[in-house]
Amino acid sequence: MPALTARGVVTADKPTTTPPASWSLTLTLTMLGLFSAWFGPIQVLLGLQAAQLAPGHKEATLSLVTGLGALVSTLGNPVFGALSDRTRSRLGRRLPWIAGGLVLGTVGLVVLSVATTVPVMVLGWCLVQAFLNAAYAALNASVADQVPESRRGTVSGFIGVAQTAGLVLGAGVAAMAGGVSTGYLVLAAMVVALGVPHVLNARDLRLVGERRQESLLDVLRGFVPPLRRHPDFGWAWVTRFLVNLGSSTGTLYLLYYLMDAVGLTPDEATGGALRLTIIYALAVFVSTVAGGVWSDRLGRRKPFVIAAALLTGLAALVLATVQTMTGATVGAVILGIGFGAFTSVDFALVTQVLPSSGDEARDLGIINIASAGAQVLAPVLAAPVVTHLGGYTSLYVMAALACVVGGLCVNRIRTVD
């Protein structure tokens, strides 16, 4: 794992000096801008725009745009990460991708703001997904580059807070901006305003020495999950995939669950879903930071990840067995606590099992495929289960099982306590 020397050069040693608090603060603010720019369109703006541009085919249009965007996101994160691992620049190897990703991702939001056809809408959203993921991959790798293992839980907790706050802030800005175009432009301005301080404070590392000679085939081989050569990394991937699959499957049909299983009217279900989202967000705020800090103090990761995965599964079981608004509220609290703690501590664990190959951003991108792939697979699995295999009870039992199995997989990791 590389470390930052006095001259900002990559070495083979692990980082031992904690970055200043200003670095963690600006990193968190940049992440807040990224997540707001992702969640605002996904939750509000893309749906409204699809209804405006293709009122007779809004569902298919939204599916097309978000599906292609998800594909670009899944592929772009590890690819841009691999490129940042190999970047030789006087500015460092992460900073060019952070700054460039923020700028070009903002361009994508501006394209969306002026889109009058579906192809232009697709282009804009794919630009957003590609280049904000370039920045995200480099930002995540900078944590592995510069934060000692003993402090990564705390920093990961702040990133988890930024993700949850971005969910709320992005949706709020999009809903209250006064129009689709204005919403995109406000989010674009937020990405720049929240990202500039970190660009100026990145403390980035530089690669020195001779450039590694690699063929395209060598680079592509690096994207194969290294289960045999690096089994702990492989088990970390499986854990992330299964817990995210359970969480995504459990939350995907929340609105329909409130209508069909709990028995609320559409208006009641909409308000109920908003309240549950706020409750969930508050629980995540508490557990992400608390879980990360506690994990750092004890120097342990696996017990926290296992407990968080089991809590996430317990939340799904509550939704499966207590199909009332009270049950849903209890489930939201437990889910927020469990998945919030999982998000922060699991990221810290992952950074400790990365292959020591100088490809930290690429490997973190491979890990992120677990999250993105789970979100893509969740609707494919959920639809037939709800329709033909027992409804919401079966759906949430399946989600609980995925979380439990994911938690058990952590025990296969040998190099982290």
Side-chain angles (χ1 to χ4, degrees), residues 220-243:
L220 293 177
R221 283 173 178 162
F223 288 97
V224 178
L227 294 174
R228 181 173 299 177
R229 290 183 294 112
H230 305 284
D232 284 357
F233 179 79
W235 286 114
W237 193 98
V238 172
T239 296
R240 171 80 63 96
F241 175 79
L242 287 173
V243 176

Side-chain angles (χ1 to χ4, degrees), residues 91 137 167 353:
L91 297 176
L167 170 66
V353 298

Side-chain angles (χ1 to χ4, degrees), residues 108-151:
L109 290 168
V110 174
V111 170
L112 282 168
S113 75
V114 300
T116 56
T117 65
V118 173
V120 176
M121 184 181 172
V122 170
L123 172 64
W125 185 238
C126 286
L127 286 172
V128 171
Q129 288 283 48
F131 291 108
L132 290 189
N133 266 286
Y136 183 63
L139 287 163
N140 275 337
S142 70
V143 176
D145 289 347
Q146 301 191 42
V147 180
E149 291 180 355
S150 62
R151 297 290 296 168

Side-chain angles (χ1 to χ4, degrees), residues 269-286:
T270 302
L274 178 59
R275 290 192 297 274
L276 292 176
T277 299
I278 294 172
I279 291 170
Y280 167 81
L282 291 174
V284 168
F285 272 127
V286 174

Side-chain angles (χ1 to χ4, degrees), residues 46-67:
L46 291 175
L48 293 175
Q49 193 168 29
Q52 292 175 359
L53 299 183
H57 308 281
K58 60 183 185 296
E59 295 86 357
T61 299
L62 181 60
S63 177
L64 173 68
V65 174
T66 56

